[in-house]
Amino acid sequence: MHDRLDRPLRSLRLSVTDRCNLRCQYCMPEPDYAWLPRESILDFEEIAVLVDAFASLGVDRIRLTGGEPLLRRDLASLVELLAARPAIRDLALTTNGVLLARQARALRAAGLHRLTVSLDTLRRDRFQAIARFDELPAVLAGIDAAAEAGFTSLKIDTVVMRGRNDDELEALLAFGARAGAEVRFIEYMDVGGATHWSSDAVVSRREMLARLSGVYGPIQPLSGRDSSPAERFLLPDGTTFGIIASTTEPFCAACDRSRLTADGLWLLCLYARGGLDLRHPLREGATHGELAHLISTVWAMRADRGAEERLGSSARDVLIPVAALKRDAHLEMHTRGG
Ligand code: SF4
């Protein structure tokens, strides 16, 4: 199952809620948001039916996202449902970590393979300034609990913003090494929700590498990236880390990812303005075969390369103005799972 640019359908980011318990500057900086109606949120059985349709077309990697996925009640039951499907070879979850200490053990027991925790700073005052809540201690406790629960390939995702946290790259790498987690630095992206974005605030991959090699010495690129958004590197002291250069060096050519919102809208690109509504056919009784046919027809037409097109736009500014975001929750990054 390949799209028009010969990219396979392999990886699905599954948002289980549009709610979040933080308000990070690069994602949810506004005072108010429009939320998805409660009755439109897919239940776990509905999600499993859609996952089976995707899996029949080649999807074998699922990442649970939000909003903040740990806000979804009884999430471990969904993990159990998905982990029981042999076609799903990789089942991961991205969380802000606030509720992780309470849930890590249950998620592991339910069969979750991998965890990524977002962490943009190790300074409590800064955490509060970036995320608007004083939750750094809870996040750090969550990372400890995840390691104790047996998540061995933990990742820490850090959005790097000039003047806000870009002086903490080394501290975060040292923290990751101590915590047994690989840190991935993400360029600040101009997606929906990033209403304060400006190109001046982006610290590019190139700049990060120059700074880090000035501190640590020569940095070696590691091979085997495949379709992963992160390029991996090795420091002379043996520490590995990643960079996700979505803004300055996008990787659309190898993109096998799509996104399903909590209310069943299937988006073919992080930058897509619209998507395929799967909730209505599902609730109207579409069969497995009909759902798979819908999905495969749309994927076969896919030619999205949102980040590459943004890179080519001359006057790059905020992607979607606040007024448009308020009219359509599906344009928000917290709805489409980052
Ligand atoms: S911008 Fe779209 S096509 Fe490019 S990597 Fe991101 S999701 Fe894939």
Side-chain angles (χ1 to χ4, degrees):
M1 185 69 251
H2 286 71
D3 71 4
R4 277 165 51 197
L5 303 179
D6 203 28
R7 299 170 295 187
L9 171 61
R10 285 202 59 200
S11 165
L12 183 66
R13 294 178 67 100
L14 197 57
S15 170
V16 293
T17 178
D18 60 333
R19 308 282 167 149
C20 192
N21 44 3
L22 297 180
R23 289 290 180 274
C24 297
Q25 288 295 315
Y26 50 83
C27 182
M28 300 182 77
E30 302 303 316
D32 298 310
Y33 285 93
W35 306 106
L36 298 175
R38 208 164 274 276
E39 64 280 7
S40 74
I41 304 297
L42 302 181
D43 65 31
F44 292 167
E45 283 69 30
E46 290 174 323
I47 291 174
V49 169
L50 290 180
V51 163
D52 286 339
F54 280 104
S56 71
L57 297 166
V59 166
D60 60 1
R61 294 198 301 253
I62 290 187
R63 177 169 293 276
L64 300 173
T65 67
E68 167 46 39
L70 301 190
L71 286 174
R72 180 80 187 245
R73 192 176 306 153
D74 200 19
L75 185 71
S77 297
L78 176 64
V79 169
E80 203 170 345
L81 212 54
L82 300 180
R85 287 166 157 73
I88 306 306
R89 292 188 308 110
D90 183 33
L91 183 58
L93 179 143
T94 296
T95 172
N96 63 29
V98 173
L99 300 173
L100 187 56
R102 281 178 240 173
Q103 299 190 33
R105 203 169 283 278
L107 291 168
R108 186 71 185 160
L112 186 69
H113 303 153
R114 299 192 297 122
L115 256 179
T116 299
V117 181
S118 303
L119 178 64
D120 300 319
T121 176
L122 294 165
R123 288 173 42 173
R124 196 164 173 174
D125 57 335
R126 241 181 218 184
F127 187 100
Q128 195 161 0
I130 292 173
R132 243 202 281 149
F133 289 87
D134 181 23
E135 294 284 15
L136 179 62
V139 177
L140 299 181
I143 292 171
D144 282 347
E148 276 165 28
F151 287 103
T152 48
S153 53
L154 263 179
K155 291 201 171 65
I156 290 174
D157 276 2
T158 302
V159 176
V160 180
M161 293 164 284
R162 192 179 306 285
R164 301 207 81 134
N165 64 347
D166 61 325
D167 56 349
E168 289 191 67
L169 304 190
E170 298 95 312
L172 284 156
L173 285 173
F175 172 80
R178 283 197 305 277
E182 185 167 288
V183 178
R184 305 188 311 173
F185 298 120
I186 304 174
E187 289 181 351
Y188 186 11
M189 292 180 73
D190 58 341
V191 284
T195 51
H196 295 180
W197 185 89
S198 85
S199 57
D200 294 344
V202 178
V203 181
S204 70
R205 165 194 179 277
R206 181 188 291 248
E207 184 177 341
M208 286 188 241
L209 285 175
R211 279 201 216 172
L212 291 172
S213 56
V215 175
Y216 295 99
I219 294 175
Q220 196 183 317
L222 294 172
S223 56
R225 180 180 183 185
D226 299 325
S227 63
S228 164
E231 265 180 286
R232 296 179 69 235
F233 299 93
L234 177 68
L235 296 179
D237 67 3
T239 305
T240 57
F241 68 99
I243 295 183
I244 300 181
S246 335
T247 303
T248 67
E249 296 179 43
F251 32 82
C252 302
C255 177
D256 59 7
R257 273 176 304 288
S258 64
R259 293 167 162 80
L260 188 67
T261 63
D263 65 342
L265 186 72
W266 184 41
L267 300 160
L268 304 188
C269 176
L270 186 54
Y271 286 88
R273 296 294 176 133
L276 174 70
D277 168 28
L278 290 171
R279 183 181 78 251
H280 282 97
L282 175 71
R283 291 190 175 168
E284 282 156 14
T287 63
H288 171 89
E290 287 165 344
L291 290 168
H293 178 69
L294 257 180
I295 293 166
S296 64
T297 307
V298 170
W299 187 263
M301 298 296 293
R302 178 189 191 239
D304 299 67
R305 27 188 293 280
E308 285 180 357
E309 283 166 6
R310 288 295 289 165
L311 187 61
S313 62
S314 47
R316 199 165 178 181
D317 201 351
V318 166
L319 176 68
I320 303 172
V322 176
L325 289 173
K326 287 205 184 305
R327 282 195 300 273
D328 184 356
H330 289 110
L331 295 172
E332 295 278 5
M333 189 161 69
H334 66 262
T335 304
R336 39 185 66 194

